[in-house]
Amino acid sequence: MLKAIFNLIYPKICYACGEAISGKINNVCVSCRANLAFLDIKDFTNNPIQQLFWGRVTFEKATAFVKFEKNGTLQKLLHSLKYRGVKDVGVTLGELAALEIEGSGFFNGIDVLIPVPIHAKKQKKRGYNKSHYIAEGVGNITTLPINLTSIKKELNTASQTRKKRFERFENVSNTFTLLNTGDLTGKHILLIDDVVTTGSTLEACANILKEIEGVKLSLLTISATY
Ligand SMILES: [Zn+2]
């Protein structure tokens, strides 16, 4: 009763269009959800995301949630970061993606979620890692645990290599280190990131996680630019 009155005075607002939402929908109204440009990937072992990583790293399953479209619903959602905060929007995106994908069995066999880390200095400056909030949203729907303690990103050494070729710069800036990984032995890890473009960061992150004995990797990103 109290909650109903509260909702009447402070209606929940859709993060994408700003209209009031009734009922328990994850911060995005039904019509905005329908307007998301779903990639609707059915085959998780052979699709454009997987093809991007061919010859670089093997993922058991890989998918992305929506296509990034200029002025599309995803972009509107990302704009609302400013007003809603990165945490709320990140968690909402993770929940929407998980709700859309869970019926396909994508999460079957996954043991743990790992958001792709950013380096500590950057996180301190920004105060957040977007991928972490997306993973929280995925965790809310799937009840899978999140591991934040097994891998870290090294400091960016770009200044030393600025004079070198871009390719080199990219490689050097994508250095990850494993920390305490004992509880990940033999586990199926789902790597989580906001967007996949060239895939070089994800490749570096995945290759270092593959050093853990018996580990299997899958990948989920919110959007893809292919
Ligand atoms: Zn809406």
Side-chain angles (χ1 to χ4, degrees), residues 170-201:
E170 218 179 18
N171 288 339
V172 174
S173 64
N174 283 328
T175 313
F176 294 89
T177 307
L178 288 177
L179 305 167
N180 44 331
T181 56
D183 51 351
L184 289 178
T185 307
K187 292 279 160 59
H188 189 166
I189 298 167
L190 179 61
L191 259 183
I192 295 192
D193 211 351
D194 56 343
V195 61
V196 57
T197 46
T198 67
S200 62
T201 306

Side-chain angles (χ1 to χ4, degrees), residues 13-21 27-33 35 73:
I13 299 294
C14 170
Y15 285 3
C17 69
E19 297 287 322
I21 313 176
N27 301 324
V28 180
C29 75
V30 176
S31 63
C32 285
R33 269 175 81 166
N35 281 336
T73 302

Side-chain angles (χ1 to χ4, degrees), residues 160-161 164-174:
Q160 298 164 20
T161 54
K164 307 284 181 190
R165 286 166 54 217
F166 178 71
E167 195 181 331
R168 170 104 186 266
F169 157 78
E170 218 179 18
N171 288 339
V172 174
S173 64
N174 283 328

